[in-house]
Amino acid sequence: MVVCGILLLVLSGSLTWIIEISLSQHIATAYDTVTMITIATYTFYKITVAAVQRVRHWDTSPLSVVIRNIRYAEVAASVLTLQRSMLVSFGTSEHTPSQWMNALTGAAVCAFILSLGIYLIWKSRKEVEPWQNPNL
């Protein structure tokens, strides 16, 4: 759990760096309509699966918690990718509003993934406490 939490922290930091570079260099890829529909379908499928599994399964085992948090990070990154692609593919030629939207969504996604990593580390430390021997 701790390792996955640390990896989510690293993912958040590297995603922040990638978003900053892509915004400062105006790097974005425009796709055709069919590809955008495919990206949107994948993103909404992942959102639906994450929501349904969250409602149905209340398993609190460490492995389930880790997998669930990785899934949430994947969904957040997919939403960011969908937004960036849609703004470039279907947006106007004016870059300022789309840059602000991408910056705000990117910051929210990075903060969300960072909070998932911190949560995993906190939860693992909380679960270790009952197992520690008080006589040591």
Side-chain angles (χ1 to χ4, degrees):
M1 226 181 206
V2 173
V3 171
C4 287
I6 291 170
L7 289 175
L8 283 174
L9 295 178
V10 170
L11 175 68
S12 176
S14 60
L15 187 61
T16 302
W17 182 62
I18 290 170
I19 291 169
E20 193 275 324
I21 289 173
S22 67
L23 287 174
S24 66
Q25 300 293 322
H26 303 290
I27 299 171
T29 305
Y31 298 107
D32 61 342
T33 305
V34 174
T35 306
M36 286 307 307
I37 290 171
T38 305
I39 293 171
T41 303
Y42 172 77
T43 301
F44 288 117
Y45 169 76
K46 294 304 287 184
I47 291 170
T48 304
V49 167
V52 166
Q53 288 184 350
R54 177 65 183 147
V55 169
R56 283 190 181 173
H57 302 289
W58 288 97
D59 189 11
T60 59
S61 68
L63 182 62
S64 295
V65 171
V66 167
I67 291 172
R68 192 176 322 134
N69 284 320
I70 291 172
R71 182 177 296 127
Y72 294 155
E74 179 190 9
V75 167
S78 295
V79 168
L80 178 63
T81 302
L82 176 65
Q83 177 189 318
R84 288 179 46 88
S85 301
M86 287 185 76
L87 287 174
V88 170
S89 298
F90 305 126
T92 62
S93 61
E94 187 176 321
H95 292 291
T96 305
S98 64
Q99 281 185 328
W100 275 103
M101 288 177 64
N102 287 334
L104 291 175
T105 305
V109 166
C110 290
F112 178 69
I113 294 173
L114 182 74
S115 68
L116 288 175
I118 292 170
Y119 172 74
L120 279 179
I121 293 170
W122 174 77
K123 183 143 178 87
S124 70
R125 292 181 57 84
K126 186 177 175 186
E127 287 185 6
V128 168
E129 288 175 4
W131 295 95
Q132 291 177 348
N133 188 354
N135 296 327
L136 294 177

